[in-house]
Amino acid sequence: MSTGDFLLGHVLYRPFRSSNEKRHPVEGLTFDDLDRKILSTAVPTMLNMMVVPLVNSVDTFWVGRIGDPKALAAMSAANQCFFTIYFLAAFLPTITSPLVAEAIGRKDWDGARERVCDSLFLSNVLGGLFCGILIAFPRAVLRMVLPDTLSDAVEGTMNVVDYAVPYLRWRSLGMVPALFSATGFAAYRGLLNTVTPLKVSLFTNMLNLILDPIFIFGGVGKTAISTAWKGLGACGAAAATSIAEMTSSVIYLRLLIRRKLIQWSKLFQPPSMTSLLPLIKGGAAMLLRQATLNVAFVSAARRAQIMDPSGVSAAAYGITMQIYSLGVVAHLGVQGTAAALVPSSRAVGGDDAAREVADRIFAWGSILGVVLALVQWFALPVVTQFFSPLPEVRQAVRGPAMISSFIHLVNGLVFAGEGVLLGLGSFKDLALITLLGVAAMISCLMSPLGNSLNGVLISLAAFNLVQGLAVTLHHVRFSPLRRRGFKLFSAQKQ
């Protein structure tokens, strides 16, 4: 059976075999031009997205060297709040990628330019608003995750909120630049160019790596900088990240100007209602989806924060999610590939071509899920030592991190299916599927499972399992790409 085979229960469909397809030594396993196209798009996207959590892991490493678990707990809470607000606007670049891919597939460069400019204008408006809220009302925002009890501290010591407030303010400065960078990345993904964004990401995140110890501690060792300036403490990690995001946004703007995908006049001109319709059509459903996701993950983070006042459980949860996110971004590469290739293939070759791409991406996503689960499982004994020198935090991470490794097994289907839905513009269906997963997760969190870190991760596993089953069922039975008649296939004869 080749990687193009789509296997679900007893239904086996072999969609495609090209004339120049190469055979592997294993009988029936083939690798063709479509696989190359998928991998050439997905691999740079994965590497690009994996750079960010790797750098965030370094942030966690340096903050962990402060030696106070409350600093790690505050960093986890502040980042959760930042991304909760950020993702209320991040539906714009998410929708932009398939819209640009579809326009380019039709050779409509004016339409592609319009989509990018509209997204940047709205990102500027919404990002500016959200940045202002985070700077002006950080304590109110942090209450989503941090209970009032964590405002208490022994005299002469800092509590979690004391760490989190300045961290969130510094982090908020990267709100608009992060949205600009995400839109630039989405535009290039729509062009099926994922190598250029990888170069941008490597450069800007290397800058982040260099700035981290300088802004947190004033530098490493006895240098002129570290002698004159002692750094910003934990919130220095947020400052370094925001500066890197500003740099990234400037680079993307220059690149998009060179590709003639933006016009300066349109960046400051409100889009027309006709131009906004594609974004509004998908935006409402995607905003609903993100709101439900925010409820679920804020609830999980809050559960972790209130488990113990020492901050150990919250620090362990933050580290676990940091480790887990390294695999998630690889899955996001598959999602982004599907979101770009499905609409471009459909614009050129119709539903049959899009179905072929979708089936193959489901297969590659499943393979990736198995690989990530095994890699994370066997790497945990080494990785858990990296994030904190505190033995109690390391011990608390072990169980949840093991559970999270198994979640990758189903994530292969989840993210491939979500990418196909994005590529088809089936935003309403995607929102409803997400709502089902969130309902399962919240139900678990409200049960006795929500009283332990292991239970919180099991709740996350329930969310992903429901999602995986739902997107697969949708693809097979309800999608515009579904197979009519459902005949039973054996491997196609040569």
Side-chain angles (χ1 to χ4, degrees), residues 373-445:
L374 292 173
V375 169
Q376 181 173 320
W377 175 269
F378 287 109
L380 283 178
V382 176
V383 173
T384 52
Q385 307 296 314
F386 175 81
F387 291 103
S388 176
L390 303 174
E392 63 270 26
V393 174
R394 292 178 177 178
Q395 180 65 31
V397 168
R398 189 172 303 166
M402 287 181 176
I403 295 171
S404 70
S405 65
F406 287 105
I407 300 176
H408 289 304
L409 293 173
V410 71
N411 277 351
L413 293 175
V414 172
F415 287 91
E418 287 183 348
V420 172
L421 286 165
L422 287 171
L424 293 172
S426 300
F427 304 118
K428 182 179 177 181
D429 292 347
L430 179 55
L432 291 174
I433 288 171
T434 302
L435 186 60
L436 288 174
V438 168
M441 183 174 177
I442 295 295
S443 297
C444 291
L445 287 172

